[in-house]
Amino acid sequence: MAHLGVADLTDLAHAAYGRSLRQVARLHGGSKKGVYRLTLDDGTTGIAYVWRASEDYWPEHEPDPLFGNASGRDLFLTAHTALSEAGMSVPRLVLVDRDTVVVEDLGGEFLEKLLDTEALERLWDDLEAMHGRQSPRYGRPGALQPAEAPPVPDVILERALAHLEACCERVPRIAAERERLENQLRQRHSVIEPRTSYGLIHGELGPDHVLVSGGRPVLIDIEGVMFFDVEWEHAFLELRFGRHHRPAENLDPARMNLYRLAQYLSLVEGPLRLLDGDFPHRDAMREIADQNIERVLVC
């Protein structure tokens, strides 16, 4: 996949900063969008997010209204507003273009290298406040699901069963456990009590999606922001942060039990599907799939 260069982004840089563009570097990550550091003629830098088909490594797939379309300029801007209103730190907007957004460059200090600092404790406090912002319906801010939409656990169950089906086609060890795993999903779902209020979540919050600037955590890759069961977020947080995870009070154990297995299946199905294309960081994606195959099998 060809990446953008100075000639492609020079007009964008001039519109954003009124200066000439000296250098462009595509940053690591970004499977659905291109993330580029713009270096200007005076040495200052900015970050451009570019949503174009040429930047999307994912193979075509049947759209998922909540999860599958978590990319695009409009979703980014809606999420940016929602997080800002919730008191979360996000990169400052510099320019909004048709399929591109330029934001301030906060450097490359990710939280994954600072897990034993006060920044992590501040993140947990910030997330508690963010999750406390409630909505009577779930979905994207500004595009909530209708009141008659299926409950969140039903949505997760159907998604997890589809992921199980896909995993069975690719992973013989999971296929051998298919009946047991399907029964596990259905049993875990069957004991969940109804809920009528949902918290604001990031949706894919690992330590590599948090920058640290001036000691404060700053959220990036925010297009997946939505009102949802906060247990869905915490099932992912405990997976990504391990012993550093700080569980919130009053999490529903039944939801956590279902969502853990659903997350593991998602983190097998998604990486393996991504590897059908030309995603460059193949070893890392394969490792994610392998780790979660093991998690699925011991559930």
Side-chain angles (χ1 to χ4, degrees):
M1 181 179 292
H3 299 319
L4 302 178
V6 171
D8 303 296
L9 296 173
T10 190
D11 290 345
L12 181 78
H14 191 272
Y17 298 103
R19 306 198 67 92
S20 298
L21 183 59
R22 187 173 73 195
Q23 185 179 354
V24 169
R26 195 180 197 275
L27 302 184
H28 180 79
S31 62
K32 292 185 178 181
K33 64 178 180 292
V35 183
Y36 292 89
R37 174 167 284 121
L38 312 175
T39 302
L40 307 175
D41 56 7
D42 65 349
T44 59
T45 59
I47 299 294
Y49 296 138
V50 181
W51 292 273
R52 295 177 187 171
S54 60
E55 300 287 343
D56 189 348
Y57 285 103
W58 285 87
E60 288 190 16
H61 191 65
E62 185 175 346
D64 180 329
L66 277 177
F67 297 95
N69 299 321
S71 186
R73 187 204 68 169
D74 292 345
L75 277 179
F76 176 90
L77 294 175
T78 301
H80 192 279
T81 298
L83 292 174
S84 298
E85 291 175 347
M88 303 300 291
S89 295
V90 286
R92 177 179 57 86
L93 295 175
V94 177
L95 178 73
V96 176
D97 200 8
R98 180 174 55 86
D99 57 8
T100 310
V101 170
V102 179
V103 301
E104 64 178 328
D105 185 0
L106 295 171
E109 201 72 81
F110 285 94
L111 183 61
E112 58 190 340
K113 296 182 179 179
L114 299 167
L115 290 174
D116 293 312
T117 69
E118 287 298 317
L120 179 60
E121 290 306 308
R122 184 168 176 179
L123 174 67
W124 299 132
D125 292 341
D126 288 351
L127 289 181
E128 184 177 357
M130 183 181 86
H131 292 160
R133 291 184 72 88
Q134 299 287 302
S135 167
R137 291 181 288 152
Y138 66 89
R140 305 288 179 197
L144 298 174
Q145 296 294 297
E148 63 272 17
V152 165
D154 291 12
V155 173
I156 296 300
L157 175 63
E158 291 307 310
R159 184 172 185 261
L161 290 171
H163 286 166
L164 176 60
E165 177 77 19
C167 289
C168 287
E169 294 175 1
R170 295 173 179 268
V171 185
R173 294 170 65 203
I174 292 180
E177 297 285 335
R178 177 176 183 168
E179 183 176 357
R180 180 182 68 82
L181 291 168
E182 180 173 345
N183 288 339
Q184 277 285 322
L185 288 168
R186 295 190 183 280
Q187 190 279 326
R188 295 181 188 201
H189 170 268
S190 69
V191 297
I192 293 176
E193 297 292 333
R195 174 179 286 169
T196 57
S197 186
Y198 307 95
L200 187 67
I201 70 169
H202 178 280
E204 195 182 3
L205 192 56
D208 57 337
H209 288 171
V210 184
L211 289 168
V212 178
S213 177
R216 77 187 194 278
V218 183
L219 303 189
I220 61 172
D221 287 329
I222 59 176
E223 294 94 312
V225 164
M226 60 181 167
F227 287 98
F228 212 62
D229 279 349
V230 297
E231 289 85 359
W232 181 250
E233 184 109 288
H234 274 281
F236 192 77
L237 288 169
E238 70 175 16
L239 177 62
R240 293 301 315 278
F241 284 87
R243 65 180 180 85
H244 296 279
H245 175 238
R246 189 176 86 187
E249 295 182 4
N250 302 319
L251 292 176
D252 177 10
R255 281 176 166 78
M256 290 295 294
N257 204 27
L258 172 64
Y259 296 170
R260 286 186 184 105
L261 179 51
Q263 289 277 13
Y264 301 158
L265 287 165
S266 175
L267 290 169
V268 176
E269 188 277 338
L272 292 183
R273 181 160 49 89
L274 187 57
L275 289 173
D276 287 342
D278 58 354
F279 185 71
H281 311 294
R282 305 188 70 79
D283 290 345
M285 201 55 58
R286 181 73 234 187
E287 183 178 1
I288 291 171
D290 288 344
Q291 289 174 348
N292 284 284
I293 288 170
E294 298 304 322
R295 293 185 177 107
V296 166
L297 291 173
V298 299
C299 273

